[in-house]
Amino acid sequence: MDVARRLVVEGALGVWGSVLAPEQYSGRGQLRRAWLSRPGNLHATLVCPPETGLWNDLRPLVLGYLFAEALSDLGQSVQVKWPNDLLSSGRKVAGMLVEERADCVLAGIGLNLCWAPSSEELRDGHSIGAGKFCPSDGMVGPARIWLALVNRMETSYKNLLEAFSPSEFLTIFRSRMAWQGRRVLVQEGASVRYEAVVKGISGEGGLVLDRAGLEIVLLAGDVTPV
């Protein structure tokens, strides 16, 4: 993501351009957590078009949904863990990080293809097991898979924003959303933790939760199954 941002600033990389790294040594995830990276997995950053209003706020959900759709079409069903981690068979196979600054909007994605961290290598308290994504058509290698994903993303992104309103998109998003109706542990910041039931998505893209009968909307934080 740092390399991609520098190339954008220098005028060498435009919208829908991307950077693909064979390996990275300082990967970062949500809340600046370290991201374990190994050769053979996919580590990429995509330059996204600028948006305004609600579409800009919903960008992480849009990208998560479209990547889930594209990966599912490669043969392994994928769901979105709010806001944009990707799960298959209950295991995390990919993570996404969207960073927006004045000069550009970048979406970084890591996809486990040949290696996934063991439970001992995951951070303390992380209860979601990691898994590998295995395309059913024999497509192998991060470069080939990334090319297929990027080609699909550019077309699908434009079509989605032209065909649907934000509220219509959120209805569609729920079809790919993981853990609806399930009790989860919610973590807000370093010290606030509580249990709640996942109810859905708000009109602004927040996670709607039932906390002991009280409906709340989570705008930032992390959830894991209980």
Side-chain angles (χ1 to χ4, degrees):
M1 296 185 80
D2 296 334
V3 172
R5 178 168 287 109
R6 185 168 66 248
L7 292 174
V8 170
V9 171
E10 293 172 354
L13 193 66
V15 172
W16 300 118
S18 61
V19 171
L20 184 65
E23 186 176 6
Q24 60 178 355
Y25 299 95
S26 57
R28 59 184 181 270
Q30 187 185 34
L31 305 178
R32 314 300 291 185
R33 293 168 178 142
W35 178 269
L36 298 175
S37 310
R38 294 283 179 86
N41 285 350
L42 189 153
H43 320 106
T45 295
L46 182 66
V47 183
C48 300
E51 303 296 344
T52 58
L54 190 51
W55 279 124
N56 185 62
D57 298 336
L58 295 177
R59 185 194 312 275
L61 300 186
V62 170
L63 293 173
Y65 170 80
L66 291 177
F67 270 115
E69 288 279 297
L71 288 169
S72 295
D73 283 349
L74 293 179
Q76 187 172 330
S77 181
V78 173
Q79 288 185 301
V80 182
K81 168 190 172 290
W82 180 90
N84 52 10
D85 282 343
L86 303 178
L87 309 180
S88 183
S89 299
R91 291 183 169 271
K92 182 175 175 179
V93 297
M96 194 181 309
L97 180 65
V98 179
E99 293 185 344
E100 181 174 359
R101 298 187 185 177
D103 48 19
C104 60
V105 179
L106 301 176
I109 184 168
L111 176 65
N112 298 333
L113 294 173
C114 70
W115 173 86
S118 65
S119 57
E120 291 76 17
E121 293 173 289
L122 297 172
R123 70 180 188 272
D124 291 341
H126 196 298
S127 59
I128 308 171
K132 293 186 292 184
F133 179 80
C134 304
S136 62
D137 64 355
M139 181 183 294
V140 295
R144 287 189 63 195
I145 291 176
W146 182 240
L147 179 61
L149 292 176
V150 170
N151 289 340
R152 167 74 179 268
M153 284 292 295
E154 181 174 0
T155 301
S156 299
Y157 185 94
K158 293 176 181 177
N159 290 343
L160 189 150
L161 267 64
E162 290 175 358
F164 300 102
S165 67
S167 62
E168 290 170 333
F169 160 70
L170 289 172
T171 298
I172 299 171
F173 175 83
R174 293 182 184 98
S175 68
R176 284 282 175 194
M177 183 178 163
W179 303 343
Q180 294 185 75
R182 185 166 179 178
R183 181 168 291 276
V184 294
L185 177 65
V186 183
Q187 182 166 341
E188 297 186 56
S191 58
V192 179
R193 293 163 63 105
Y194 55 88
E195 290 188 10
V197 176
V198 176
K199 303 298 290 183
I201 294 290
S202 74
E204 293 73 37
L207 187 65
V208 179
L209 300 167
D210 182 334
R211 184 182 182 185
L214 177 65
E215 184 174 285
I216 60 175
V217 177
L218 183 67
L219 298 177
D222 194 22
V223 296
T224 52
V226 174

